[in-house]
Amino acid sequence: MLAVRWHARGDVRVEEVPPPAPPGPGELQLQVRWCGICGTDLEEWLNGPVFIPAAAPHPLTGARAPLVLGHEFAGVVVAVGAGVTGPWPGQRVAVDTIISCGSCHWCQRGEVTRCPALGALGLHGDGGLAELCNAPARMCLPVPDTVADDAASLAEPLAVAVRALRRGGLRPGERVAVVGAGPVGLLAVQAAAAFGAASVAVVEPLPERRALAVRLGADHATPPDDASALEADVAIECAGTPDAIQTALQALRSGGRAVLLGIVTESAPIAPLDLVRGEKSLIGSLSHVWDEDFREALQLLGSGAVQAAPLITDRIPLGAAVTGGLTVLRDEPERHLKILVGDAG
């Protein structure tokens, strides 16, 4: 089958590989319909390995590079392993790709994103940028009938936004600022409104993305220099840059909570006095939990509270994932929001 595999920094290839083995106990085999290219995939291509196990196999998956990228995907079940009680062949599913040990202190508390052995399909095991993919049945959730195949692949980034709002303790009637109007930021705008935010503001340097945020329900959109006037209760940092962290803190009123979900590897400028004097909180948020955030994301898509289609800026075939996907996102980062890869490209 055709697959997109990470070999090393700067070396991602579209190549023919053997199909996955028949699904084992508790597993499903999916025919992938659509898979999104994430900023994390781009980061791994340009600067990796960040998460990908290159020097040694991952302790849970046993996988190491080269491996198949893609952790934002949906497909249809084509085979099931022993002991599976659903979903069944023919059902459409979206995949919460998180892998955890299931036995540590955090897993026993249902806080799987804190598992010391945390992993994800598409980063620590073969993912969805392929024709077929095996996944544990427990992480495959049925797609509502009202959700199109391509929109279903955005359930994963929406779940990231849902978790960030949950981590920020958003209460109905509070004001939200979203820093960065990329795919996750625009999904966070819609989710915040659905969760009862009194107002949602967006901080974004690109005028066209500010305009899209307003069309998707933001009450206000502003460039970063004007963030300090927002007086938000919760700020969600989605830009993944050091400056965006400071912008998120500036957007808060006293007592506000800034949630960081962007992947920032450099040092960030933070004024501790601003945190202390305003009793502001700085909170990290990683990925999602399947039965809280991911299930909620699918419900939001199914109800129409969140629109995914306006974020999809291109659909390309699997064979063009590098030349028409990763390369375009590297060379023209302002042109696209979400590029989807699939057979119908």
Side-chain angles (χ1 to χ4, degrees):
M1 69 173 186
L2 207 60
V4 180
R5 296 209 297 173
W6 189 96
H7 286 260
R9 181 181 301 176
D11 184 6
V12 172
R13 309 174 196 172
V14 181
E15 54 192 356
E16 290 283 347
V17 300
E27 285 189 333
L28 305 177
Q29 187 167 97
L30 309 179
Q31 181 183 32
V32 179
R33 290 279 177 85
W34 292 103
C35 182
I37 299 178
C38 176
T40 305
D41 300 323
L42 185 65
E43 180 69 17
E44 290 287 0
W45 180 45
L46 297 177
N47 301 308
V50 178
F51 296 108
I52 289 175
H58 187 267
L60 296 181
T61 67
R64 60 181 296 182
L67 56 76
V68 180
L69 292 173
H71 58 276
E72 301 178 358
F73 64 100
V76 61
V77 180
V78 294
V80 302
V84 170
T85 58
W88 301 110
Q91 279 191 277
R92 297 185 307 139
V93 297
V95 186
D96 175 293
T97 53
I98 293 299
I99 301 164
S100 60
C101 73
S103 59
C104 71
H105 168 78
W106 298 111
C107 287
Q108 291 296 305
R109 291 162 56 102
E111 300 174 11
V112 297
T113 57
R114 301 176 187 179
C115 174
L118 183 71
L121 298 183
L123 291 170
H124 306 92
D126 286 340
L129 279 172
E131 295 179 47
L132 297 170
C133 179
N134 287 1
R138 61 176 174 77
M139 67 170 60
C140 298
L141 278 68
V143 175
D145 292 339
T146 54
V147 179
D149 289 342
D150 53 1
S153 66
L154 272 74
E156 195 278 340
L158 176 54
V160 172
V162 168
R163 178 163 182 81
L165 291 164
R166 193 188 306 279
R167 290 279 296 143
L170 175 63
R171 296 182 289 268
E174 290 190 315
R175 294 184 287 189
V176 174
V178 175
V179 180
V184 175
L186 291 169
L187 292 166
V189 167
Q190 299 177 75
F195 291 161
S199 65
V200 183
V202 168
V203 183
E204 165 61 45
L206 298 178
E208 59 272 23
R209 292 196 179 182
R210 293 201 299 268
L212 177 57
V214 172
R215 291 200 299 273
L216 290 174
D219 299 282
H220 180 59
T222 185
D225 289 346
D226 298 333
S228 59
L230 295 178
E231 292 284 301
D233 298 289
V234 179
I236 308 296
E237 182 279 310
C238 305
T241 67
D243 288 344
I245 297 174
Q246 185 62 36
T247 299
L249 290 171
Q250 292 170 348
L252 293 176
R253 69 199 310 178
S254 293
R257 292 94 67 194
V259 183
L260 312 185
L261 60 81
I263 304 299
V264 182
T265 56
E266 312 103 295
S267 297
I270 295 175
L273 182 58
D274 187 37
L275 289 173
V276 174
R277 185 169 51 198
E279 291 197 329
K280 299 176 182 179
S281 301
L282 195 58
I283 302 165
S285 183
L286 177 66
S287 199
H288 39 76
V289 177
W290 74 272
D291 60 344
E292 295 177 349
D293 317 306
F294 204 88
R295 190 182 299 280
E296 181 76 36
L298 282 169
Q299 291 173 350
L300 289 169
L301 289 171
S303 70
V306 172
Q307 301 178 60
L311 278 64
I312 301 170
T313 50
D314 204 358
R315 298 168 179 83
I316 62 175
L318 194 56
V322 176
T323 57
L326 290 170
T327 300
V328 170
L329 292 172
R330 179 196 65 191
D331 296 343
E332 304 176 76
E334 298 178 358
R335 176 182 164 197
H336 283 285
L337 287 168
K338 182 59 64 179
I339 297 177
L340 296 186
V341 179
D343 288 337

